[in-house]
Amino acid sequence: MAQSSLTVAASVVAVLAYALALVEHERLAAVVRWSLPVGWAAHGAAIVLEASGVGAVHAGARFGFAPALSVTAWLVLAVYGIESRQVPLPGVRRVLALLGLCAVGLALFFPGEVRPHLASPWMPVHWVLGIASYGLFGAAVLHAALLTNAERKMRGPRAAVPAAPTGLPLLKLEKLTFRFVEAGFVVLSAALLLGWWYASPWRWDHKTLFSMLAWLVFAALLAGRRAFGWRGRMATRWIYTGAALLLLAYVGSRFVLEVLLTRAAGPV
């Protein structure tokens, strides 16, 4: 089902701004510096326009793997925008610009399906909580990647003071990473409880199975850190594993249904 012209226009602006943020050119440094915030703002406008149904032919909530990825990328970029005001993250900017570009582009081509009649009035809350957990765990993965990169450099022939490439002390970066994991775990738990509460009957489908596996991985990680002091490679591997399972839960299953099987998906 086609998106509104306003949503498409905002998405195109976001794509162009994100693409400009990938450019490395001294003469365009000032323009490039502002391109990521502009892309993020246009990206957010596209999400709001799509969610509110402004200019759309058919009213109703739209669900799909690409909209979920789009909101997740926008949340991760929001975290980056807040942190970059206090800690410079130059090596992350282009990666996030590429992430935003791909997310908005996918949402343009795969906008999902409209659900004018939801199975439960609580479903939008469940969906928002689930996407919020995606964003929090996405931020945790971003910080875990910075940790992995910093540890790799520390083990190199020119190992120096234990600090991340951003200049942030490793212990502080590690603590911040687990703050995102803990927040994501709480929000994911709320999403699963709400889904269990309104679902009638409860179904053990692929989405439920992968979500529960991800929840168990993050629960084990937090328990292991508290009981055994897990950190470093051990901790980051658990974060990557849990995030991959969570990605397969909704985005993966919807991708198979919407793209690979090319048929309408069942209830979310």
Side-chain angles (χ1 to χ4, degrees), residues 147 170-179 181-182 217-232 234-236 238-239:
L147 271 176
L170 277 182
L171 290 178
K172 188 173 182 179
L173 179 60
E174 184 180 70
K175 184 178 180 180
L176 188 59
T177 302
F178 273 91
R179 286 288 181 267
V181 172
E182 291 166 356
V217 167
F218 287 122
L221 170 61
L222 293 174
R225 180 172 173 79
R226 180 175 292 273
F228 307 110
W230 287 356
R231 59 189 309 176
M234 167 72 78
T236 54
W238 279 81
I239 292 174

Side-chain angles (χ1 to χ4, degrees), residues 27-250:
R27 293 183 179 180
L28 297 175
V31 177
V32 171
R33 185 168 58 253
W34 284 99
S35 58
L36 194 62
V38 170
W40 177 81
H43 187 172
I47 292 172
V48 171
L49 288 169
E50 186 66 15
S52 62
V54 175
V57 178
H58 299 277
R62 191 185 293 271
F63 297 92
F65 81 95
L69 282 177
S70 178
V71 177
T72 301
W74 187 84
L75 290 172
V76 173
L77 279 159
V79 171
Y80 163 78
I82 295 171
E83 287 192 353
S84 62
R85 291 182 173 273
Q86 301 177 348
V87 181
L89 301 171
V92 181
R93 178 181 60 82
R94 296 185 70 193
V95 174
L96 292 181
L98 181 60
L99 174 65
L101 175 64
C102 294
V104 176
L106 280 173
L108 271 174
F109 288 100
F110 303 100
E113 61 177 343
V114 174
R115 299 289 182 83
H117 304 291
L118 299 178
S120 167
W122 290 102
M123 184 178 289
V125 180
H126 167 71
W127 192 82
V128 168
L129 288 173
I131 295 301
S133 70
Y134 266 56
L136 290 168
F137 285 124
V141 168
L142 173 63
H143 289 77
L146 291 174
L147 271 176
T148 301
N149 186 36
E151 291 184 348
R152 186 182 299 113
K153 289 186 176 182
M154 285 177 57
R155 290 184 172 85
R158 297 183 179 180
V161 181
T166 61
L168 191 67
L170 277 182
L171 290 178
K172 188 173 182 179
L173 179 60
E174 184 180 70
K175 184 178 180 180
L176 188 59
T177 302
F178 273 91
R179 286 288 181 267
F180 282 113
V181 172
E182 291 166 356
F185 181 75
V186 171
V187 176
L188 177 61
S189 300
L192 291 175
L193 283 173
L194 187 61
W196 169 80
W197 179 65
Y198 79 72
S200 180
W202 176 263
R203 296 180 302 131
W204 279 101
D205 53 13
H206 292 84
K207 181 170 70 72
T208 303
L209 177 61
F210 281 118
S211 296
M212 291 302 301
L213 287 175
W215 186 90
L216 289 172
V217 167
F218 287 122
L221 170 61
L222 293 174
R225 180 172 173 79
R226 180 175 292 273
F228 307 110
W230 287 356
R231 59 189 309 176
R233 290 185 178 181
M234 167 72 78
T236 54
R237 286 171 181 170
W238 279 81
I239 292 174
Y240 297 149
T241 300
L245 288 169
L246 191 60
L247 191 66
L248 289 172
Y250 183 80

